[in-house]
Amino acid sequence: MKKGGSNITRRELLKTAAMAGATLGLTDRHSLRAEEMLAPPASTVIGMKFEPRSMVRVGIIGAGARGTSMLAEFLGVENVQITAICDIVKDKCLNAQRVIEKAGHKAPSLYFGGDHDFENLCRRDDLDFVYIATPWDWHVPMAVTTMKSGKHAGVEVPAAVTLKECWELVDTSEKTRRHCIMMENCCYGYNEMMVLNMVRAGLFGELIHGEAAYIHDLRSLLFEDQSEGLWRRFPHVTRDGNLYPTHGLGPVAQYMDINRGDRFDYLVSMSSLSVSLAEYRDSHIPADSPKRKEKYKCGDINTSMIKTANGRTIMLQHTVSTPRTYDRINLISGTKGVFRDYPARLFLDGQEGGEKWTNLDKHKPQYEHPLWKNIGELARRRGGHGGMDFIMVYRLMQCMREGLAPDMDVYDAAAVTAPGPLSEMSVSQGSAPVKFPDFTRAKWKEAR
Ligand SMILES: NC(=O)c1ccc[n+]([C@@H]2O[C@H](COP(=O)([O-])OP(=O)(O)OC[C@H]3O[C@@H](n4cnc5c(N)ncnc54)[C@H](O)[C@@H]3O)[C@@H](O)[C@H]2O)c1
């Protein structure tokens, strides 16, 4: 049926949208949805406040390595109650229960009845927030079920695997009016929060360029017969791109006000050859292990470049299969100076002593983030990733209790996760540029 004065039918529009996707070389799994391009803008959740409450009741899905360590962080925050735990492995649920009881809290209800028992946890009426720390493929089904059950979702990184899944999170958050927060702890690191303050105070001038990475030697972990060794190696067999973009990119996105005045526009990506994982496997794993038959597709080092709508550039890297020392780079460069982490160093235009890096010490009294000033010691004592896990959980629970809008929302989760699938697309097309969807539906220009 023709609409308004337009000569184009809905079917034609859908076809055009699908062709646009094809031109960009998008596969079905990743496609920009034609319906999405036509849909009337849904009501945004940007700035949407939590309902204030005196107690936050939390459910946890996934009581593996991450879920268990985060459980300890939740238990350290006042007025938080862990009501229910779910894991397909009964012993992991029981272990979490022991930890909770040892901390002096009431025993939680346990769900270990198979892959979909999390749906029963989500149906409970005594939960406000569900934290999801499961293998990547489960993040979106679990977050969507959580929101559809009327609870806010906190999902581990990366939030999703495909662009379609990123949209699913955005759509569901908007429709259900529930938040979906990606628990990007690196945004709460000591240096990251201090540098964010310095960026906002204008110390680096106008921002031009950032660099971000996840450089972490996970070879041994990837071949274990437990925890991430049971699932995290398989994406290296089926995918080629940046499998884990968010730890490095999250903080740089915050420096650059992504979704708050700027946005990621397009990306080009290149993967190196893939040899390291197989070489490590062949020298560490017995010849008769089925692991010896695996063929790894993912390049050992993936490098992407992102261009933002305001003309900034970001270099984004990923390697977990090469012998490298841990590094997220965390570089921000502007017209007045540059910061680079690992180790933390600073150079401001015109500083004393010429072109030499200095450390952050001189700036701490002025720019150390108030959260770190106030509870940094406690956070460090609790330990999770140098304290940033506690700061993140403390802050999120504070927002939920006081009825504030969260620091990061579903649009941030989608934007920072998208370089995963986008890098795969670019790599598969000889490093061709691929466009970021605008998950904010044109609301990214508004400063917050
Ligand atoms: N933010 C960080 O610093 C950080 C650190 C480590 C891991 N992670 C992320 O946390 C997530 C979990 O990683 P991990 O190291 O704990 O892995 P893990 O394998 O140790 O734990 C995953 C748990 O999920 C459970 N599980 C699997 N399918 C399930 C289902 N259908 N229902 C309920 N439980 C299910 C498993 O039994 C396991 O206990 C991943 O997304 C990972 O990327 C984040």
Side-chain angles (χ1 to χ4, degrees):
M1 193 170 74
K2 306 255 181 197
K3 245 190 146 188
S6 164
N7 292 326
I8 304 173
T9 63
R10 180 176 171 80
R11 180 174 299 194
E12 282 163 348
L13 259 173
L14 286 168
K15 205 167 137 198
T16 313
M19 278 164 62
T23 312
L24 285 170
L26 308 180
T27 62
D28 221 25
R29 190 164 172 254
H30 298 297
S31 65
L32 290 179
R33 295 166 315 156
E35 285 289 355
E36 208 64 47
M37 294 164 80
L38 289 176
S43 181
T44 186
V45 294
I46 290 176
M48 186 178 80
K49 293 178 176 167
F50 289 114
E51 321 72 25
R53 67 199 90 221
S54 54
M55 172 74 74
V56 185
R57 299 162 305 169
V58 175
I60 296 182
I61 310 176
R66 183 64 178 157
T68 306
S69 104
M70 285 286 281
L71 168 62
E73 313 292 353
F74 281 104
L75 288 170
V77 182
E78 275 181 355
N79 299 321
V80 172
Q81 187 186 335
I82 314 283
T83 311
I85 300 277
C86 170
D87 198 293
I88 46 174
V89 180
K90 183 179 175 184
D91 279 349
K92 296 193 181 193
C93 286
L94 290 172
N95 179 53
Q97 179 178 348
R98 271 191 296 276
V99 173
I100 292 169
E101 287 183 308
K102 207 171 154 203
H105 292 248
K106 198 171 147 239
S109 300
L110 304 182
Y111 295 82
F112 45 79
D115 271 347
H116 288 270
D117 209 15
F118 72 87
E119 292 163 8
N120 292 319
L121 177 146
C122 290
R123 271 195 277 273
R124 292 176 70 94
D125 59 8
D126 57 356
L127 286 175
D128 306 304
F129 177 76
V130 176
Y131 166 64
I132 297 156
T134 50
W136 300 338
D137 285 341
W138 281 104
H139 288 183
V140 171
M142 288 170 171
V144 165
T145 303
T146 298
M147 290 185 274
K148 285 187 173 166
S149 313
K151 286 92 186 172
H152 300 287
V155 65
E156 262 306 335
V157 302
V161 177
T162 65
L163 286 185
K164 211 168 160 191
E165 281 189 329
C166 289
W167 274 118
E168 215 179 324
L169 292 179
V170 170
D171 288 346
T172 311
S173 179
E174 288 176 344
K175 277 191 196 124
T176 59
R177 316 309 295 163
R178 298 293 87 187
H179 277 298
C180 175
I181 293 138
M182 187 176 69
M183 306 291 279
E184 186 35 86
N185 45 342
C186 298
C187 291
Y188 292 86
Y190 181 89
N191 289 342
E192 284 84 350
M193 292 189 90
M194 178 162 163
V195 170
L196 181 61
N197 266 348
M198 295 166 82
V199 165
R200 291 193 173 153
L203 259 75
F204 300 101
E206 183 163 353
L207 300 187
I208 301 164
H209 175 78
E211 296 185 13
Y214 188 68
I215 296 173
H216 194 180
D217 183 357
L218 296 181
R219 290 174 299 170
S220 157
L221 175 141
L222 289 174
F223 286 104
E224 282 181 1
D225 290 319
Q226 57 171 353
S227 192
E228 296 194 0
L230 300 177
W231 56 270
R232 196 167 168 170
R233 199 172 63 258
F234 301 121
H236 290 261
V237 175
T238 55
R239 301 170 59 192
D240 186 9
N242 187 328
L243 305 182
Y244 207 62
T246 73
H247 280 335
L249 191 55
V252 171
Q254 291 200 328
Y255 304 150
M256 291 191 179
D257 274 334
I258 296 300
N259 292 343
R260 292 148 181 80
D262 200 355
R263 79 176 194 90
F264 300 140
D265 185 8
Y266 66 90
L267 166 154
V268 295
S269 186
M270 203 178 275
S271 278
S272 74
L273 72 170
S274 171
V275 284
S276 270
L277 216 48
E279 188 179 305
Y280 180 91
R281 186 253 334 255
D282 293 350
S283 58
H284 288 77
I285 304 294
D288 59 352
S289 164
K291 291 172 189 164
R292 291 288 285 262
K293 294 203 169 68
E294 292 169 359
K295 289 215 172 347
Y296 306 114
K297 175 179 173 189
C298 197
D300 288 330
I301 301 184
N302 175 272
T303 307
S304 304
M305 287 295 306
I306 298 173
K307 187 88 187 251
T308 77
N310 291 348
R312 296 175 176 133
T313 49
I314 302 168
M315 192 279 289
L316 178 66
Q317 271 192 334
H318 173 263
T319 178
V320 295
S321 58
T322 51
R324 298 278 297 261
T325 54
Y326 187 90
D327 195 348
R328 296 199 300 270
I329 303 182
N330 189 21
L331 178 144
I332 191 72
S333 166
T335 53
K336 289 187 173 20
V338 58
F339 170 82
R340 204 254 194 240
D341 221 330
Y342 303 91
R345 57 214 124 128
L346 181 71
F347 175 75
L348 296 178
D349 198 19
Q351 73 182 27
E352 276 174 30
E355 278 180 32
K356 281 199 194 104
W357 291 107
T358 57
N359 63 34
L360 287 176
D361 289 350
K362 196 176 101 188
H363 300 278
K364 279 184 188 167
Q366 198 172 352
Y367 297 109
E368 184 180 49
H369 196 278
L371 268 174
W372 276 96
K373 234 178 224 155
N374 296 336
I375 57 163
E377 211 185 302
L378 172 64
R380 284 195 185 92
R381 250 189 287 126
R382 298 201 72 86
H385 291 112
M388 65 189 181
D389 291 355
F390 182 73
I391 299 272
M392 169 178 69
V393 172
Y394 175 93
R395 170 68 183 155
L396 179 57
M397 294 297 102
Q398 178 194 31
C399 289
M400 288 195 72
R401 280 197 314 266
E402 294 182 14
L404 310 172
D407 299 335
M408 304 183 287
D409 55 30
V410 73
Y411 309 105
D412 301 319
V416 177
T417 294
L422 289 172
S423 62
E424 287 180 71
M425 289 177 217
S426 178
V427 165
S428 72
Q429 297 166 56
S431 307
V434 285
K435 281 275 197 190
F436 280 79
D438 176 7
F439 296 107
T440 70
R441 306 184 214 267
K443 295 235 178 293
W444 59 270
K445 287 185 188 150
E446 294 164 23
R448 282 192 252 166

